[in-house]
């Protein structure tokens, strides 16, 4: 299958977004627009972002539980590319497993120290993509 002109080498490559981490990137306040900005930037760069949230993310962002479909609608993503982990389950191992299963990088400022023994790939250069806001502008530490 031929690559379309103008498409980057990253075209349609999966990438996992740690939604519960990224939502704090602007002013250390939970904001869905921070996650949406990351999803939009990654999509523009040719990635296929999937987002994973902790069960309490909806409560922090909207004052109530939000399920995969609602987050997908708000982020402009298909439901199958959004996951809210069940209550009482940490999102970190789900994020790490999802990324490992498709060979994806992870957008987060988390270093996953508690999970590094089971997921040594977190130490690989470029596996974890940090970011945040500087002077109101989104920055992603992509190479």
């Amino acid at each position: 299958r031929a690559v379309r002109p103008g498409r980057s080498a990253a075209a349609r490559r999966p990438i996992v977004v740690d939604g519960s981490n990224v939502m704090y990137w602007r002013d250390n306040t939970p904001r869905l627009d921070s996650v949406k900005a990351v999803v939009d930037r990654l999509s523009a760069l040719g990635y296929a972002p999937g987002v994973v949230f902790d069960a309490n993310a909806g409560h922090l962002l909207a004052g109530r539980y939000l399920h995969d479909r609602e987050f997908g609608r708000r982020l402009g993503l298909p439901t199958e590319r959004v996951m809210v982990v069940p209550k009482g389950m940490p999102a970190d191992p789900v994020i790490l497993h999802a990324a490992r299963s498709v060979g994806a990088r992870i957008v987060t400022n988390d270093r996953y120290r508690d999970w590094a023994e089971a997921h040594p790939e977190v130490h690989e250069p470029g596996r974890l993509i940090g970011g945040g806001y500087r002077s109101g502008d989104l920055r992603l530490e992509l190479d």
Side-chain angles (χ1 to χ4, degrees), residues 26-130:
R26 184 181 288 225
D27 305 326
N28 206 28
T29 302
R31 300 171 186 261
L32 192 60
D33 64 339
S34 297
V35 181
K36 175 93 170 98
V38 167
V39 164
D40 290 349
R41 174 81 53 87
L42 292 169
S43 296
L45 292 170
Y47 287 94
V51 185
V52 179
F53 290 99
D54 289 303
N56 71 338
H59 290 283
L60 295 169
L61 293 164
R64 64 182 177 86
Y65 177 80
L66 296 178
H67 48 72
D68 307 352
R69 187 174 54 253
E70 180 67 16
F71 270 119
R73 185 185 68 71
R74 292 176 181 219
L75 293 171
L77 288 174
T79 303
E80 61 270 10
R81 294 210 341 239
V82 180
M83 178 184 208
V84 179
V85 300
K87 184 178 178 181
M89 174 185 232
D92 291 356
V94 174
I95 291 165
L96 292 163
H97 176 76
R100 178 187 280 173
S101 69
V102 295
R105 297 166 78 187
I106 302 169
V107 178
T108 186
N109 285 334
D110 194 334
R111 297 293 124 202
Y112 300 111
R113 288 181 184 93
D114 293 343
W115 309 99
E117 188 174 326
H119 294 272
E121 65 271 18
V122 299
H123 297 299
E124 294 172 10
R127 178 65 64 163
L128 303 178
I129 300 166

